[in-house]
Amino acid sequence: MYNMAIELKSDGTKHLYEQIYGHIREEIKGGKLLSGERLPSTRALAEYLQVSRSTVDLAYEQLVSEGYIEAAPHKGFFVCRLEELPEGNIQSKLDDVEKESRLKKADESLACKARGKAAYLDFSPNGLDMSVFPFSVWKRITKNILTEGNEELFALGEPQGDYDLRQTIGRYLHSARGVNCMPEQIVVGAGNDYLLMILEKLLGQDAGIAMENPTYKRAFHIFKSFGYRVDIIGMDKNGMKAEELYEKQVQAAYVMPSHQYPSGITMPIGRRMELLKWAGEEEERYLIEDDYDSEFRYKGKPIPSLQGADNGENVIYIGTFSKAIAPAIRVSYMVLPPRLLKRYQKECYFYSSTVSRIDQRILNEFIRDGYFERYLNKTRKIYREKHDILLQELKPFLKKFRLSGEDAGLHLLLGLRDKSFTEKELVERAQENGVRVYAFSEARVAQSADDGNPTVILGYGGLRKEEIPDGIAKLKQAWL
Amino acid sequence: MYNMAIELKSDGTKHLYEQIYGHIREEIKGGKLLSGERLPSTRALAEYLQVSRSTVDLAYEQLVSEGYIEAAPHKGFFVCRLEELPEGNIQSKLDDVEKESRLKKADESLACKARGKAAYLDFSPNGLDMSVFPFSVWKRITKNILTEGNEELFALGEPQGDYDLRQTIGRYLHSARGVNCMPEQIVVGAGNDYLLMILEKLLGQDAGIAMENPTYKRAFHIFKSFGYRVDIIGMDKNGMKAEELYEKQVQAAYVMPSHQYPSGITMPIGRRMELLKWAGEEEERYLIEDDYDSEFRYKGKPIPSLQGADNGENVIYIGTFSKAIAPAIRVSYMVLPPRLLKRYQKECYFYSSTVSRIDQRILNEFIRDGYFERYLNKTRKIYREKHDILLQELKPFLKKFRLSGEDAGLHLLLGLRDKSFTEKELVERAQENGVRVYAFSEARVAQSADDGNPTVILGYGGLRKEEIPDGIAKLKQAWL
C-alpha cells in the first residue's frame, strides 16, 4: 500500500476528513499518486489512520466530487488522469500594475509635502457642495423603506427601472425641463456611462457620432471605446454648426444644449431647430442631448430641453442625479424615442437593471415628497452665492481676461485677451500659488488650426464660500 | 407697432415676465412674429402693458437666452430666423408599445382568474428565500453609515469599486472559493450583465465565445448582442468537451464549473485541467468562470473555483451577491487576470463605477463583520431542508424519472426515463394542476440532433417548505 502516513492534527482547526482529503489531493497534484493508481479502501485507510470510516468516506467523496479520483463499482477508488497543473506566481505578475498606482500616490503626497500644505484650493469643474444635503431625511426614508414588510424590494426589479420611479422622473423632467415623455420611454441606469453602453446596443456597432471640440471628454472616450467613428463638428458662439453635419456620415450628434461643456454656451432656439431639422431628415438620425447640469441657471428661467422642442422622434435625452443630488447616487435616466424604445424592448430586455430597488425607492420618495425640489432650491441658492462672489472677485481680472459661460452650471471660463501666458503657464503658475485651475484645451478631443486664446476653467461648486476670495487672491499673484 | 395686447393675469400662478416671455415665444413659434421683425423697445412695451421696465427686461433676456430674439446694440431687439418646428404626437407613437405591455398584464391576470387561484406554486430556478434576511442588521449598518460624518460617501468612488470592499471580497473569495487574487484585480459592478459589458471592451469586438448547450441563456443573449460569434461545444457528463475547443476559433469559453446551469454538472478536476491547458496554449485564450450559485452545496465541501487551479493568467472569474444575499443587491465582481487588468486600466479607466459608495460600504461591513457568513449558514440550512424535503417527496417519481444535478445550487432536474410525455406536455400538465416547472430545453441555445429525454427544471429556493409537498402532490396528479 502507498504511504498514507498522514499527520492528522486534532487541534480543531481543520476537520479530520479535510486533512485526509487535502493530503491526498496534494499527493495527486504533486505527481506522487499517479493516474490509474488504486487508493486503499476506505475501511483499510480508516483502520490505518485510526479514524472512523465515515471520515474517510467524506474525504473520498469530496475527491470524487472534485474529480481527483473516481469510484469503480466493486473495485475501489482510482486516481484520475489529469492534465499537468500550470505553475506561476500571481504576485509577480501584478508587480508592475501595483507599483504604478503606488507611485502615483507617492507623487501626489510628495507634491503636497513640497508645498508644506494640506491641499490645493481646487477650482475643479466637478466639485459639488454637499453641505446642505438632507442626510437625516435620506436616512429616515431609507430606514422606513428597510422595514420587514418590504421584502419585495430585495427582489430583482424591471430592467428599465421601477415604474413608480420612472413616473416620478417623467413628471420632474416635464415640469423642470420641458421634456415630453411617457414613463415607458425612460430607462433608469447606474450612471451615464452605463446608459451610453445600452445606447451602443441600440445604435449598432458601426455608428458615427458627431461631437463638438472641445467637449465632454469622458463621453468621447466612451464612444471611441465602442469602436465608433467620432467626427468633429465646428462650433461658433451658438454651439455645434448644423450645416457641417450634412458633410458627415454620422448617425447621431452628441450635444449639451443647455450648457455646453466646457464652453458654457447655451444653444439658442434657432440652432436647436437647425439640428432638429438635420435629425428629422432621415429615419435613423439622432441627437443625444446630455443635460448634465441643467438644474443650475443664474439668469432667467431654465432653458427648456432640446427634447421638448422635438416631435419626439429624434432626441435621446440623458440626465443624471449625480450633480443634482450626489455623485454617489448612481442613478441616471435616458429618454428613448419610440423607435429606439421598440428596439430596446426587443434587443435589450435581458439586461438586468443596474440600480438596486432599494435605491430606486429611496430616490422615488425623495423626489415625490418634495425633498428633491427643496434641496435643489437650497443648492441653487448656495451655488448662486458662490457664483456671485466669484464674479465679484474676478472684476480686477477683466482687463486682462475675458469671462464666459457664467450664466449656468458650476463652472466658468477665463480667457486671456492676449497671449502673454500659455494655458500651461496659467495652470502651472496657479498651482505654484496653491490653486488648481483647469486648462480649457484638456477638454479638446482633436487638434484644430486655431485653438483661440489661452483659457482656463474655474469650477466653484466644491469650494467653500470663504475659500473663493482666498483662491482668487492667489490667482492674482499668479497672473496679474 | 405689432399687436402686443398680452392678457396679463395677476392671479400669482405665473410671473408677469413669464407671461410676456411665453406670449412672445408663442407668437414667434406660430409665425405671427416673423424673423427679422423688430420688437417694441422694453420701455415702450412696459408702458403699454403697464408693468415695470425690469419685468420686460427679464422677459426679453429669457428670449435672448433661448435664442428666439437677438439684441442689436443701439438698435433694439429682433426676431431670429428659425427652422420650422416639427409637429407630432408622442402619445400616438407610443400606442403600440404601451398596448403591448398592457396586453401582457391582462393576459396574466386572466390566466390567474381562469384558474380561480391567487398564483401558481412556482418551482422557479430563480426563486430565493429572503425569510431569514437580517433586515434589522442591514438597517442598522445603513443607519450608521448615513451619519453626517460620512459625506465623502456621497462623492464618486473608484471605477473598480472601493478598495476596502475589494479587499473584503478578495478575502472571502480566497477562503470560500479558493480564488487567488489581489484586490487590484477585482472589478465591482452593478450586476453580471454590466461586468460582461466591460469584458466586451477588453476582449474586443470580434471575439468568439464557446458555450455549452444548454447554458445560461441570458449570457448567451448578451454575447450575441455584442455581435460575438457563439460556438456551441458538446457536453458529456463532465461538462464542456475540451477537445472540441481546438476545432473552434474562439477567444474564450464560458463555463460554470461548480454547478453548470441548467444541467447541474460539477466539472471534475480532470476536465478543468483540460480546459486550463487549452486556455494556456495561446496568449489570448480565456475561460470565463461564472460561479453563480457556488455558495450552496449539499455534499461535501464546496468545490474550489476553476480560477484557483489556474496559474492566474487565463481565468476570468465572475460572481455575484444576487443569489447569496438578494437580487436587489446589485453587486457583482469580476477577477481579471493581470493581462486583462492592464488593458482595463488603460482602456476602461473612464467608466465610472456603477455601484453607489453607500451600497459598497454597507456590503463591506455586512461581510467584514461576519453577518454575511452567518446569513449564508442560515440560508444554506434552509435550502438544504427544502432540498431534502423535495428529494424525499420525489421518491415515488424515480421509477418514471431520473434525478440529476441535485448536489448543489437551488434547482435540480427530473428527466423522463421514456418518452411518454414531451417536455411541453410535462410543463403544461403541471400548469393545469397549478404548478410551474420549467422546460430544460428552454435553456438550449442551439438545436442538436439528440435532445435527450424530456426533462424539466425544478427550482426550490423560492417556495416555502410546506409548499413543496403540496406542489409535488400536484405534480403526481399531473405526471404519474
Side-chain angles (χ1 to χ4, degrees):
Chain A
M1 187 167 95
Y2 173 78
N3 174 22
M4 278 286 175
I6 308 172
E7 278 184 54
L8 296 177
K9 287 172 197 156
S10 52
D11 56 1
T13 53
K14 250 188 179 175
H15 271 291
L16 289 175
Y17 98 85
E18 274 190 73
Q19 297 180 48
I20 299 170
Y21 149 79
H23 175 88
I24 298 178
R25 193 191 57 185
E26 291 314 307
E27 297 289 278
I28 295 173
K29 282 164 82 174
K32 287 175 193 154
L33 271 167
L34 296 174
S35 84
E37 208 163 326
R38 187 172 175 275
L39 290 186
S41 72
T42 53
R43 195 183 42 79
L45 187 58
E47 250 172 46
Y48 176 72
L49 293 175
Q50 291 292 303
V51 297
S52 82
R53 193 163 158 192
S54 66
T55 300
V56 178
D57 278 343
L58 266 178
Y60 278 26
E61 256 181 40
Q62 184 70 22
L63 289 163
V64 169
S65 294
E66 297 188 12
Y68 286 99
I69 63 174
E70 53 194 347
H74 312 297
K75 287 185 187 159
F77 293 89
F78 296 85
V79 177
C80 295
R81 214 186 69 80
L82 304 182
E83 293 288 343
E84 251 173 82
L85 206 69
E87 287 298 326
N89 180 350
I90 186 72
Q91 188 59 57
S92 68
K93 280 161 201 155
L94 271 177
D95 271 0
D96 39 349
V97 177
E98 275 199 285
K99 260 179 222 148
E100 208 179 297
S101 57
R102 264 195 232 119
L103 278 176
K104 233 189 284 170
K105 275 174 208 153
D107 271 357
E108 291 217 38
S109 103
L110 268 178
C112 267
K113 275 189 195 142
R115 293 187 305 107
K117 278 169 197 174
Y120 291 95
L121 282 174
D122 193 349
F123 285 92
S124 163
N126 300 317
L128 290 178
D129 194 320
M130 295 293 298
S131 66
V132 290
F133 184 78
F135 286 96
S136 57
V137 168
W138 196 266
K139 211 154 88 176
R140 198 184 62 235
I141 295 178
T142 306
K143 201 181 131 196
N144 289 344
I145 285 172
L146 287 178
T147 49
E148 306 275 339
N150 276 327
E151 278 88 352
E152 88 282 0
L153 282 180
F154 282 82
L156 191 62
E158 291 178 60
Q160 282 184 243
D162 285 354
Y163 195 84
D164 287 354
L165 175 61
R166 285 187 280 142
Q167 218 164 15
T168 301
I169 291 175
R171 251 183 243 127
Y172 165 69
L173 289 181
H174 184 75
S175 72
R177 308 293 308 121
V179 169
N180 288 318
C181 72
M182 305 285 296
E184 280 75 6
Q185 291 174 267
I186 298 177
V187 180
V188 170
N192 286 20
D193 304 356
Y194 170 75
L195 291 177
L196 289 178
M197 286 166 115
I198 289 288
L199 195 55
E200 180 198 5
K201 307 303 169 213
L202 302 178
L203 296 181
Q205 297 202 326
D206 312 305
I209 305 283
M211 293 187 96
E212 294 149 315
N213 182 33
T215 186
Y216 182 46
K217 217 167 180 175
R218 181 192 293 271
F220 173 78
H221 284 307
I222 286 172
F223 289 132
K224 292 299 273 186
S225 81
F226 295 166
Y228 281 5
R229 201 188 63 251
V230 175
D231 282 325
I232 303 301
I233 304 290
M235 282 177 87
D236 58 21
K237 69 174 175 41
N238 293 332
M240 184 179 274
K241 291 182 186 167
E243 74 268 18
E244 286 189 18
L245 283 169
Y246 291 92
E247 298 158 20
K248 308 281 184 182
Q249 290 297 319
V250 293
Q251 214 181 322
Y254 172 89
V255 286
M256 297 163 273
S258 301
H259 192 230
Q260 203 266 354
Y261 187 88
S263 72
I265 291 172
T266 299
M267 190 181 284
I269 185 76
R271 183 59 55 85
R272 292 176 187 225
M273 301 312 261
E274 286 172 39
L275 289 181
L276 288 172
K277 182 164 179 288
W278 167 81
E281 280 172 12
E282 305 240 349
E283 273 250 313
E284 288 282 347
R285 275 188 188 164
Y286 299 101
L287 300 169
I288 303 170
E289 175 176 25
D290 185 349
D291 212 19
Y292 70 106
D293 71 357
S294 56
E295 291 82 6
F296 307 110
R297 188 162 177 86
Y298 311 110
K299 212 177 147 184
K301 292 200 314 159
I303 310 288
S305 67
L306 177 63
Q307 200 270 3
D310 183 30
N311 63 356
E313 290 287 16
N314 303 301
V315 177
I316 299 155
Y317 179 90
I318 298 182
T320 177
F321 292 109
S322 287
K323 289 239 168 208
I325 299 186
I329 308 299
R330 304 304 295 150
V331 184
S332 294
Y333 40 86
M334 174 163 68
V335 178
L336 293 175
R339 199 187 304 120
L340 290 181
L341 176 63
K342 274 170 211 165
R343 202 172 297 156
Y344 171 88
Q345 291 179 336
K346 203 170 143 227
E347 293 168 20
C348 292
Y349 64 91
F350 42 79
Y351 287 107
S352 317
S353 172
T354 43
V355 187
S356 92
R357 294 189 77 186
I358 300 168
D359 292 352
Q360 291 189 50
R361 177 80 163 260
I362 295 171
L363 185 59
N364 184 37
E365 299 200 358
F366 189 71
I367 304 171
R368 193 198 58 197
D369 296 349
Y371 298 110
F372 179 51
E373 215 182 314
R374 249 170 280 165
Y375 176 57
L376 265 186
N377 287 337
K378 278 190 192 169
T379 49
R380 273 195 198 109
K381 188 168 163 282
I382 289 179
Y383 290 138
R384 179 185 288 276
E385 282 167 10
K386 292 183 181 180
H387 167 269
D388 292 349
I389 293 171
L390 180 59
L391 252 54
Q392 179 64 33
E393 296 291 327
L394 284 176
K395 276 189 180 159
F397 289 68
L398 296 186
K399 213 165 173 183
K400 198 165 177 181
F401 291 87
R402 211 171 58 85
L403 191 73
S404 61
E406 75 278 18
D407 287 349
L410 303 175
H411 75 274
L412 50 75
L413 300 182
L414 271 187
L416 260 181
R417 291 187 190 272
D418 55 28
K419 304 214 172 181
S420 51
F421 294 119
T422 64
E423 255 177 44
K424 200 163 166 265
E425 284 168 341
L426 286 174
V427 171
E428 283 174 357
R429 292 177 73 100
Q431 191 143 335
E432 282 159 18
N433 283 273
V435 177
R436 278 218 170 120
V437 298
Y438 295 81
F440 185 68
S441 58
E442 284 287 305
R444 284 198 191 282
V445 291
Q447 296 292 328
S448 65
D450 175 27
D451 273 0
N453 279 6
T455 301
V456 292
I457 303 173
L458 268 70
Y460 46 88
L463 287 175
R464 290 196 305 275
K465 271 186 272 180
E466 61 274 22
E467 288 176 325
I468 294 174
D470 188 20
I472 298 303
K474 284 173 174 155
L475 287 181
K476 233 184 252 176
Q477 285 166 20
W479 298 342
L480 297 188
Chain B
M1 189 168 91
Y2 173 78
N3 174 23
M4 279 284 174
I6 309 173
E7 278 185 54
L8 296 177
K9 289 173 196 156
S10 52
D11 57 2
T13 53
K14 250 187 179 176
H15 271 290
L16 288 175
Y17 96 86
E18 274 189 74
Q19 297 180 47
I20 299 170
Y21 148 80
H23 176 88
I24 299 179
R25 193 192 56 184
E26 291 314 308
E27 298 289 279
I28 295 174
K29 282 165 82 175
K32 287 176 195 153
L33 271 167
L34 296 174
S35 84
E37 208 163 325
R38 188 172 173 275
L39 290 187
S41 72
T42 53
R43 195 184 42 80
L45 187 57
E47 250 173 46
Y48 177 72
L49 293 175
Q50 292 290 304
V51 298
S52 81
R53 192 163 159 192
S54 65
T55 299
V56 178
D57 277 344
L58 267 176
Y60 277 27
E61 258 180 39
Q62 184 70 23
L63 289 163
V64 170
S65 294
E66 297 189 13
Y68 287 99
I69 64 174
E70 55 195 344
H74 313 296
K75 287 184 187 157
F77 293 90
F78 297 84
V79 177
C80 295
R81 214 185 68 79
L82 304 181
E83 293 289 343
E84 252 173 81
L85 206 69
E87 287 299 327
N89 180 350
I90 186 70
Q91 188 58 57
S92 68
K93 280 162 200 155
L94 271 176
D95 271 359
D96 39 351
V97 178
E98 275 200 285
K99 262 179 220 148
E100 210 178 295
S101 57
R102 264 196 232 120
L103 276 177
K104 235 190 281 168
K105 275 174 207 154
D107 270 356
E108 291 217 37
S109 103
L110 268 179
C112 267
K113 275 190 196 141
R115 292 189 304 106
K117 275 169 199 176
Y120 290 95
L121 282 174
D122 193 348
F123 284 93
S124 163
N126 300 318
L128 290 177
D129 193 320
M130 295 294 297
S131 66
V132 291
F133 185 78
F135 285 96
S136 57
V137 169
W138 195 268
K139 211 154 90 176
R140 198 182 63 235
I141 296 177
T142 307
K143 201 181 131 196
N144 290 343
I145 285 172
L146 286 179
T147 50
E148 306 276 340
N150 275 327
E151 278 88 352
E152 88 280 2
L153 282 180
F154 282 81
L156 191 61
E158 291 178 60
Q160 282 184 242
D162 285 355
Y163 195 84
D164 287 354
L165 175 61
R166 285 186 281 143
Q167 220 163 13
T168 301
I169 291 176
R171 250 184 243 127
Y172 164 70
L173 289 181
H174 184 75
S175 72
R177 308 293 308 120
V179 169
N180 288 317
C181 74
M182 307 284 296
E184 281 75 7
Q185 290 173 268
I186 298 176
V187 179
V188 171
N192 285 20
D193 304 355
Y194 171 74
L195 291 176
L196 289 178
M197 285 166 117
I198 289 288
L199 195 56
E200 180 198 6
K201 308 301 169 213
L202 302 177
L203 296 180
Q205 297 202 326
D206 312 305
I209 305 282
M211 293 189 96
E212 295 149 316
N213 183 31
T215 186
Y216 182 47
K217 217 167 180 175
R218 181 192 293 271
F220 173 78
H221 284 308
I222 287 172
F223 289 132
K224 293 299 274 186
S225 81
F226 294 166
Y228 282 6
R229 201 188 63 252
V230 175
D231 282 325
I232 303 302
I233 304 289
M235 283 177 86
D236 59 20
K237 69 175 176 39
N238 293 332
M240 184 180 273
K241 291 182 186 169
E243 75 266 19
E244 286 189 18
L245 283 170
Y246 291 92
E247 298 158 20
K248 308 281 184 182
Q249 291 297 319
V250 292
Q251 214 181 322
Y254 173 89
V255 286
M256 297 162 273
S258 300
H259 191 230
Q260 204 265 356
Y261 188 86
S263 72
I265 292 173
T266 299
M267 191 182 282
I269 185 76
R271 182 59 55 84
R272 291 174 188 227
M273 301 312 261
E274 286 171 39
L275 288 181
L276 287 172
K277 183 165 179 288
W278 168 80
E281 280 172 13
E282 304 239 350
E283 274 248 314
E284 289 281 348
R285 275 188 188 164
Y286 299 99
L287 299 168
I288 303 170
E289 175 178 22
D290 185 348
D291 212 20
Y292 70 105
D293 70 357
S294 56
E295 290 83 5
F296 306 110
R297 190 165 174 82
Y298 310 110
K299 211 176 147 185
K301 292 199 315 157
I303 309 289
S305 67
L306 177 65
Q307 201 270 4
D310 183 31
N311 63 357
E313 291 286 16
N314 303 302
V315 177
I316 299 154
Y317 178 91
I318 298 182
T320 177
F321 292 108
S322 288
K323 289 240 169 207
I325 299 186
I329 309 299
R330 304 304 294 150
V331 184
S332 294
Y333 40 88
M334 173 163 70
V335 179
L336 292 175
R339 199 186 306 120
L340 290 181
L341 177 62
K342 275 169 211 164
R343 201 172 298 156
Y344 171 87
Q345 290 180 338
K346 206 171 141 226
E347 293 168 21
C348 292
Y349 63 91
F350 41 79
Y351 288 107
S352 315
S353 171
T354 41
V355 188
S356 93
R357 294 190 78 187
I358 301 168
D359 291 352
Q360 291 189 50
R361 178 80 162 261
I362 296 170
L363 185 59
N364 184 38
E365 299 199 359
F366 188 73
I367 303 172
R368 194 198 59 197
D369 297 348
Y371 298 109
F372 179 50
E373 215 182 313
R374 248 170 279 166
Y375 176 57
L376 265 186
N377 287 337
K378 278 190 193 170
T379 49
R380 274 195 197 107
K381 187 168 163 283
I382 289 178
Y383 290 139
R384 178 184 290 278
E385 283 167 8
K386 292 184 180 180
H387 168 268
D388 293 349
I389 293 171
L390 181 59
L391 253 54
Q392 179 63 34
E393 296 290 328
L394 283 176
K395 276 188 180 158
F397 289 69
L398 297 186
K399 213 165 172 183
K400 196 164 177 181
F401 289 88
R402 210 171 59 84
L403 190 73
S404 62
E406 76 278 18
D407 287 348
L410 302 176
H411 74 275
L412 49 74
L413 300 182
L414 272 187
L416 259 182
R417 291 186 190 274
D418 54 28
K419 305 213 172 184
S420 50
F421 293 119
T422 64
E423 257 177 42
K424 200 163 166 267
E425 283 169 342
L426 286 173
V427 171
E428 283 174 357
R429 292 177 73 99
Q431 192 143 335
E432 282 159 17
N433 283 273
V435 177
R436 277 219 170 118
V437 298
Y438 295 81
F440 185 68
S441 58
E442 284 286 305
R444 285 198 191 281
V445 291
Q447 296 292 328
S448 65
D450 176 27
D451 274 359
N453 279 6
T455 301
V456 292
I457 304 173
L458 268 70
Y460 47 88
L463 286 176
R464 288 196 306 276
K465 270 186 273 180
E466 61 274 21
E467 287 176 326
I468 295 175
D470 187 20
I472 298 302
K474 285 174 173 156
L475 287 181
K476 231 183 255 177
Q477 285 167 20
W479 297 342
L480 298 187

